[in-house]
Amino acid sequence: MRRTGRGRLLATVVAGALALAACGGSGGDDGGRVWVRAINGDPMTMGLNAQLVTGSIPKTFSAQIMDPLIFVASDSTLSPALAQSWEVSPDGLDLTLRLREGVTWHDGEPFTAEDVKFNLEEIVPLSTYGAGLAERIASVEITDPNTVVAHLDQPYGPLLEAVAGQFMVPKHVYEGTDYVTNQANKEPIGTGPMKFGHYTPGQEVVLEKNPGFWGGEVQVDRAVFTIIPDPNSRAEALFSGEIDEAILDVSQQDRVAADENTQLMEAGTFPEYIPMMFNARSEHLADPAVRAAVFAAADRTAIAETALAGVGTPAKRLFPDEPEWALNTDIDFDRDFPRDLDAINATLDRAGFPRGPDGLRFTLTLRYISSLTATAATAEMVKSMLAEVGIGAELVGTSGAVFTEKVYKDNDFDLAFLRTSLGAEPSIGITRWYTCNERKAAASNPSGICDPQIDAAAAAALAATDQTVRGQAYRELQARAAELMIQAPLAWFNGGFPTVSTARWHGLDEPQALAERKAWLTMTPTL
């Protein structure tokens, strides 16, 4: 994997951007220090509040406008945010949060314990990454003006990571409204370093400096998110210095590596991976042995090198190498699912799928999101690889919204390919792709498989606060998931991270300097 790493808090997911000092006049006509980032679509189709809408774009905006109670870094390290300290009781049932004093919302109202209580009771249950926590909160108590205690009715293993994944919203703006349709989801009011400025449909969203930011003096005056759907146009704008940041197609990364003024960020948000997801309801994929054979037919090394342009590493296990305590090292894809074409063909023959006169056994529908070029390229390569063992493939690329509807709601797919985050902790990240999903929730296991052993292991991990106990539960989950082949990662991938221009900024090549949120206070422009 190409490494140019830089550690940052998830809360600063916009690659250095909104907190770094930019050269005067960039991206605007009224001067000032401005950072310009290209985005590939109009963000208002989803809104800017990542508490109520999942997706990388809402999180990008929320991470600068809003604050969590606790920051979590891409290596899962925790540090103070709106809560300056916290404590979990020995039995894991009480979380005490001591709040930072003197913080104000962007509209000038004070941030208070009432805001925290309101969020924990009303907003967190609506969050994809907060629902599990909310189910375990029995009550929320304000013990003094700056202290909030969440009382749980049962221990919750990823308690702090789940809290760290929640952006706080103002009670005085949301109380008594329909939370989901509140206009503040498109014009957020937070406590973060940047505040919402204005939106021009189809063109840009502009954020402005928060002069009262609790973390110190913000060194950027404005951040302009300009909409450039075409990937080639984004790349040319970045290489020419017209913009400071963009997510580039992986095919551009050789050019990035050769350009002294551009750099792929491979830290700052959680690593991603590209899985092969199976629909066990499919007549051709009902047998786990067939699913295993299909997975084995995919050459993971070739996919990482070609479809992902070397900005990825082939996966060898169901979980990544870190955290090591959660990894089942008894699983080895090279050994357990080798790309042995003779063995794969024999398995498919035994399963009752002989080759027909045209050489095909059956044809599968492969779904992916068209705009995610890495997954599109992966699907295309898998199609050719499946052909080698007599399996046909129909490629169906769609928008993200259609993909979500067809895969999770309608179950209209055989194989699906996605780019997804590992999350801060397995229980609020990767395990949701293996546990039962009877509600057909998006971004969760679409296979139709509900396995009692997997669900029991996932529940055991959630209920334990002891890391050793949790690690054992995760290993049991992985062992069973490998037997069933519900889904499996093809490659760990960082190509969805932003690429930045370093021509106008000092410090972008210093990973340690960017390891904490305070770094953006000290960055300086290249003069």
Side-chain angles (χ1 to χ4, degrees):
M1 178 177 291
R2 188 180 288 110
R3 292 283 180 187
T4 56
R6 159 179 129 160
R8 276 181 312 164
L9 292 175
L10 177 59
T12 54
V13 72
V14 181
L18 312 179
L20 306 180
C23 289
S26 171
D29 56 9
D30 57 351
R33 295 164 298 182
V34 182
W35 180 277
V36 184
R37 171 170 177 168
I39 52 178
N40 64 3
D42 195 321
M44 288 304 178
T45 58
M46 300 181 72
L48 309 183
N49 184 358
Q51 271 303 108
L52 301 176
V53 179
T54 58
S56 60
I57 291 297
K59 187 175 292 184
T60 294
F61 286 95
S62 291
Q64 299 306 325
I65 298 171
M66 303 152 75
D67 284 312
L69 292 164
I70 301 170
F71 288 139
V72 58
S74 55
D75 64 358
S76 297
T77 301
L78 303 173
S79 59
L82 291 177
Q84 59 184 358
S85 66
W86 56 88
E87 181 180 348
V88 179
S89 62
D91 61 8
L93 296 179
D94 296 312
L95 169 62
T96 301
L97 298 158
R98 296 179 181 86
L99 306 181
R100 195 177 297 275
E101 298 183 39
V103 177
T104 59
W105 296 100
H106 292 157
D107 62 3
E109 292 294 317
F111 166 77
T112 70
E114 289 288 348
D115 289 306
V116 175
K117 178 178 169 66
F118 173 77
N119 275 266
L120 292 176
E121 293 178 339
E122 299 290 330
I123 304 299
V124 170
L126 303 177
S127 165
T128 298
Y129 301 106
L133 168 63
E135 290 173 358
R136 291 161 175 80
I137 295 179
S139 64
V140 181
E141 178 186 9
I142 297 175
T143 58
D144 67 47
N146 299 302
T147 306
V148 176
V149 181
H151 301 289
L152 280 61
D153 56 18
Q154 56 183 303
Y156 187 55
L159 173 59
L160 295 177
E161 291 85 357
V163 169
Q166 310 304 309
F167 292 106
M168 295 292 101
V169 302
K171 176 181 178 180
H172 66 277
V173 172
Y174 279 83
E175 187 176 34
T177 73
D178 183 325
Y179 306 145
V180 175
T181 62
N182 193 307
Q183 182 62 21
N185 295 325
K186 294 188 174 182
E187 300 177 6
I189 295 173
T191 58
M194 302 300 289
K195 58 183 182 179
F196 179 80
H198 68 268
Y199 161 62
T200 304
Q203 295 183 34
E204 66 182 20
V205 175
V206 176
L207 305 184
E208 299 174 350
K209 169 182 178 176
N210 174 14
F213 179 50
W214 57 265
E217 173 97 20
V218 178
Q219 297 301 312
V220 67
D221 296 309
R222 289 183 301 127
V224 178
F225 292 77
T226 184
I227 300 169
I228 307 179
D230 180 67
N232 292 325
S233 298
R234 289 199 301 273
E236 291 308 318
L238 186 72
F239 288 120
S240 68
E242 295 177 21
I243 62 174
D244 301 300
E245 176 183 12
I247 294 178
L248 300 186
D249 189 286
V250 291
S251 64
Q252 297 281 357
Q253 289 306 321
D254 283 341
R255 185 177 175 187
V256 170
D259 186 336
E260 64 179 6
N261 292 325
T262 57
Q263 179 177 335
L264 172 66
M265 300 292 98
E266 293 194 0
T269 187
F270 302 119
E272 296 180 325
Y273 70 105
I274 295 179
M276 176 185 287
M277 302 190 293
F278 295 89
N279 184 359
R281 305 174 186 85
S282 166
E283 62 175 313
H284 302 117
L285 298 175
D287 184 346
V290 174
R291 297 194 295 270
V294 170
F295 179 70
D299 186 332
R300 291 169 288 105
T301 298
I303 288 170
E305 291 178 352
T306 303
L308 308 185
V311 192
T313 54
K316 292 189 64 175
R317 298 182 174 88
L318 290 176
F319 278 26
D321 290 342
E322 298 293 338
E324 186 176 0
W325 58 267
L327 181 64
N328 187 333
T329 56
D330 291 336
I331 296 171
D332 184 330
F333 289 171
D334 293 338
R335 180 197 66 213
D336 303 335
F337 308 103
R339 194 169 194 271
D340 181 333
L341 298 186
D342 289 338
I344 294 169
N345 278 307
T347 296
L348 295 173
D349 288 339
R350 287 194 301 271
F353 297 113
R355 291 177 184 262
D358 59 357
L360 291 181
R361 304 174 186 277
F362 50 79
T363 297
L364 301 177
T365 298
L366 278 56
R367 285 197 177 272
Y368 57 92
I369 297 173
S370 301
S371 62
L372 301 180
T373 55
T375 57
T378 296
E380 290 170 359
M381 288 193 70
V382 169
K383 176 181 179 177
S384 65
M385 293 166 181
L386 292 178
E388 296 181 64
V389 293
I391 298 175
E394 177 189 2
L395 296 175
V396 183
T398 65
S399 67
V402 172
F403 179 92
T404 296
E405 186 71 20
K406 294 296 184 181
V407 172
Y408 303 109
K409 301 298 183 184
D410 298 341
N411 309 120
D412 181 11
F413 75 104
D414 293 306
L415 300 179
F417 302 88
L418 190 66
R419 195 184 78 206
T420 185
S421 169
L422 289 167
E425 208 279 345
S427 285
I428 53 176
I430 198 169
T431 62
R432 73 182 187 275
W433 296 105
Y434 300 102
T435 53
C436 185
N437 184 22
E438 289 181 320
R439 297 185 298 110
K440 296 188 176 182
S444 299
N445 174 15
S447 71
I449 296 173
C450 287
D451 182 71
Q453 288 180 241
I454 287 178
D455 290 345
L462 278 175
T465 56
D466 183 271
Q467 189 178 91
T468 301
V469 175
R470 304 190 76 224
Q472 179 58 32
Y474 288 138
R475 286 187 286 276
E476 292 172 4
L477 183 152
Q478 291 165 74
R480 180 59 174 162
E483 292 175 1
L484 294 178
M485 187 49 68
I486 294 173
Q487 71 109 315
L490 294 167
W492 312 115
F493 181 60
N494 287 341
F497 286 11
T499 297
V500 297
S501 170
T502 60
R504 304 186 303 122
W505 301 87
H506 287 304
L508 288 174
D509 57 349
E510 299 174 10
Q512 286 307 116
L514 290 159
E516 299 184 17
R517 187 180 174 98
K518 67 182 181 182
W520 54 257
L521 297 170
T522 61
M523 299 299 291
T524 57
T526 301
L527 300 178

